[in-house]
Amino acid sequence: MWTNEELEQRINQAVEWLRERVQAAQSKGIVVGVSGGVDSAVVAGLAKRAFPEQSIGVIMPAGSNPVDREDALLIAETLGLKVVEVDLTEPHQTILQTVQEVLDKQGLAFAGNLCQGNLKARLRMSTLYTVANSQNYLVAGTDNGPESYTGYFTKFGDGGVDVLPITSLTKTEVRAWAAQLGLPDQIVNRVPTAGLWPGQTDEQEMGVTYDMIDRYLLGEAVPEEIAQKIEAMHRQSEHKRQLPPGLELPKLEKL
């Protein structure tokens, strides 16, 4: 494993990178959604170090497990991070019910868990940008290396951000950074979940553990069926990592 000195050096590199990105964008600070999970905790910690007085954590419950909010508040308290809370439960349910009613009238299918989970992520993205725009801050994303590679994020949801400071880290590294940043053990070792629906966990939804993806990304041996699954997820999610394609037509000659 890594020494404290090695971890501190890499954390400082990430902090300096955030400062450079904010300066290049002529912005003033960082906004990050704080879910209660270890990834958002680490990004919140980096934001606080980079901009002690110009960083904001946003807690966005949407029919969520109360434990998520409690853990998010614990993260903010530990880091001394300024937080705002925006309850998205009502707008989430209003949009969801309205769309479902319209589709039902047309006899069109409605994919419950998928629709409501992705809507929740996209409402959170819109909320973060509303806060960020009001302060002239950038939105920092919380996707780690395994999530970025497999596409385990919502397009234009948690994937809709300005900067991704931990996208090169394995999940193991994220946990190590969290401990180095002084976050509590219950956050460092929390079961990964996006909180998209009751009982949802990341690994159950992906069908593969973070440990296996970590090992694969590091070039270590994993069972062949696991490697094939990870690569399939990577291929199928390629569109999430690209800008939307645009049709390029030849220029018309002037009449």
Side-chain angles (χ1 to χ4, degrees), residues 39 142-149 166-171 174 210:
D39 298 309
T142 62
D143 295 333
N144 56 46
E147 290 167 345
S148 296
Y149 190 80
I166 63 170
T167 191
S168 65
L169 302 188
T170 63
K171 191 71 171 183
V174 172
Y210 278 108

Side-chain angles (χ1 to χ4, degrees), residues 208-222:
V208 60
T209 66
Y210 278 108
D211 179 62
M212 281 294 180
I213 304 174
D214 281 358
R215 288 170 55 186
Y216 180 79
L217 294 179
L218 291 171
E220 299 176 7
V222 300

Side-chain angles (χ1 to χ4, degrees), residues 115-137:
C115 288
Q116 74 90 19
N118 283 339
L119 174 61
K120 191 176 291 187
R122 289 171 180 140
L123 282 174
R124 286 170 173 162
M125 178 275 293
S126 297
T127 302
L128 289 173
Y129 270 99
T130 302
V131 174
N133 290 165
S134 72
Q135 305 300 310
N136 190 22
Y137 288 4

Side-chain angles (χ1 to χ4, degrees), residues 39 114 118 121 142-155 157-159 171 192-197 199-208 210 213 230 233-234 236-238 240-241:
D39 298 309
L114 180 64
N118 283 339
T142 62
D143 295 333
N144 56 46
E147 290 167 345
S148 296
Y149 190 80
T150 60
Y152 186 68
F153 56 87
T154 298
K155 191 174 185 178
D158 50 323
K171 191 71 171 183
T193 173
L196 298 179
W197 55 80
Q200 181 263 344
T201 68
D202 295 354
E203 293 180 334
Q204 183 182 51
E205 190 178 1
M206 288 190 292
V208 60
Y210 278 108
I213 304 174
I230 293 170
M233 293 170 71
H234 179 72
Q236 292 164 6
S237 62
E238 183 61 30
K240 295 184 179 183
R241 291 180 289 273

